[in-house]
Amino acid sequence: MDITLFTAKESPTTFFSQSHDHRHRHRLHRLRFPNLAMQSSTSQSSEYSLDHSLPATVGKWASTLLNECARAISDKDSNKIHHLLWMLNELASPYGDSDQKLAYYFLQALFCKVTETGLTCYKTLITVAEKNYSFDSALKLILKFQEVSPWMTFGHVASNGAILEALERETKLHIIDISDTLCTQWPTLLESLATRNDDTPHLKLTVVSTTTKVKSLMKEIGQRMEKFARLMGVPFEFNPITNLNQLSDLENEALKVEEDEAIAINCNGALRTVKIEERNAVISMLKSLKPRVLTIVEEEADFISSKNKFLSYFDECLRFYTLYFKMLEECFEATSNEKLGLERECSRNIVRLLGCGNESELERELTSERREKGKQWSKRLEERGFSSARFSDDVMDDVKALLKRYKPGWSLMHWTGATDTNRDEEEGGDDSNGIYLTWKEEPVVWISAWKP
């Protein structure tokens, strides 16, 4: 079992093998954690033996040990930290079951936190990911994920339905897509436009990307979209915006909005990348464009409220990624390369969230991964002058039909928290502030539509 672990003086790409290199077996016990005050050798952690903790390896052992380790870090108990990191290192693996993988990736983040090497590790992981990134591999991953799970397609179907209804009978459409989904959302929308009863409208698609690896693919994405639009007989213009480092740098002029265009804005996983203090300003900027509809898709997690309370923050990160890893394990085949790619993407986010700290200099240097829950986004949107829009019965029927294509465990939940069995409000809840995709009765993705 290999794991990326390093001290402040070591490279973040240093690997050591537990099973084959016994010289490094106890390396963790010799590490020094610069941000932890050393505890007395008589610390109670000396009583925390491996044998005493073995029951934790049965069932949900990863969560148990990771929570213990996080608590030891919060308590600055260096002896216990050494011991728990060693235990996790013995049990974790990026190629095992969901518990082993969870332990592996969270161990990396916790190690980065106590050794203050998170920023170096994160940059290295990003560099490696970008170096191995290609259009074909990225598209294959996304399409496979969409095939086995509605995690992405849920937002695509609901957003497309809301956009098509908002732009109905308009002849000059302008969709501003702020996402990194490689335009996989738009072929079905183009098909719908091609079969409209009235004249086929002209569509301008502006794609805004702040991710370096996606920017490099935009030319090929544009060529493929233009070719597909010609095939569908839809007049089409592709307008990529790739000169931004962050969404808050976006200016109206770059969007090339014309007065006679009917505008729709689609934000899929985009708002969470905006720095917290800039989110309201970005929402106000979107409102100034006067869109017919704004669709928001975000994963349901709160990485904001407790960001300065390490244990609470850790608990929420662990809760969300435990769900995600178990979902991947059930949806994909065990040997799937696409599943491994999604897990590695998670590992980068976990290091970003837990290993890099909250220092302002780090926040300035890195994009945010701080998710907010639907109710938090709703409050921001309402405070900036947006009004929520219900999804029509037709859109809801399309979403329900989509979920039937996948394995059992997925369902739809309305804003009130009532799992959907009936569209009527008194039985099924109200979707005026969006709807949730749930997995095993846990909300995981939130989609909503808004009007200025």
Side-chain angles (χ1 to χ4, degrees), residues 278-297:
E278 297 174 351
R279 290 181 179 179
N280 288 342
V282 168
I283 292 172
S284 294
M285 182 273 293
L286 297 178
K287 183 176 182 292
S288 71
L289 298 172
K290 300 179 181 178
R292 300 294 177 87
V293 67
L294 165 68
T295 54
I296 305 288
V297 182

Side-chain angles (χ1 to χ4, degrees), residues 246-249 271 273-285 363-364 380:
Q246 49 194 4
L247 191 54
S248 57
D249 295 334
L271 293 183
T273 68
V274 179
K275 292 177 172 57
I276 299 168
E277 64 275 11
E278 297 174 351
R279 290 181 179 179
N280 288 342
V282 168
I283 292 172
S284 294
M285 182 273 293
E363 294 291 344
R364 285 195 299 269
R380 286 188 185 275

Side-chain angles (χ1 to χ4, degrees), residues 352-402:
R352 169 70 186 92
L353 289 163
L354 295 174
C356 292
N358 299 319
E359 293 83 356
S360 58
E361 60 269 23
L362 299 183
E363 294 291 344
R364 285 195 299 269
E365 198 163 349
L366 303 175
T367 59
S368 175
E369 277 295 331
R370 304 218 180 270
R371 293 158 176 78
E372 296 188 57
K373 290 189 173 182
K375 62 181 180 181
Q376 295 165 299
W377 289 119
S378 294
K379 182 179 179 182
R380 286 188 185 275
L381 289 156
E382 288 168 349
E383 288 176 348
R384 310 319 292 180
F386 277 98
S387 299
S388 60
R390 292 173 61 100
F391 291 104
S392 70
D393 290 339
D394 288 341
V395 173
M396 296 296 288
D397 288 343
D398 287 344
V399 172
K400 293 174 188 176
L402 171 77

Side-chain angles (χ1 to χ4, degrees), residues 237-266:
E237 178 184 349
F238 188 72
N239 176 37
I241 298 177
T242 59
N243 60 342
L244 307 177
N245 292 321
Q246 49 194 4
L247 191 54
S248 57
D249 295 334
L250 181 62
E251 297 179 354
N252 291 10
E253 293 75 17
L255 296 170
K256 300 179 181 178
V257 173
E258 299 176 16
E259 288 186 6
D260 58 346
E261 292 177 337
I263 299 170
I265 303 174
N266 179 69

Side-chain angles (χ1 to χ4, degrees), residues 148 325-333 339 407-409 439-440:
V148 302
F325 275 94
K326 289 188 180 300
M327 178 274 297
L328 292 179
E329 185 178 45
E330 289 198 19
C331 291
F332 283 90
E333 294 180 359
K339 176 162 71 79
K407 292 180 179 180
W439 187 76
K440 301 293 181 69

Side-chain angles (χ1 to χ4, degrees), residues 407-432:
K407 292 180 179 180
W410 300 101
S411 59
L412 176 67
M413 189 175 78
H414 297 291
W415 175 257
T416 57
T419 301
D420 180 57
T421 54
N422 189 296
R423 181 63 178 81
D424 296 333
E425 284 191 27
E426 64 270 22
E427 293 184 34
D430 179 16
D431 63 355
S432 60

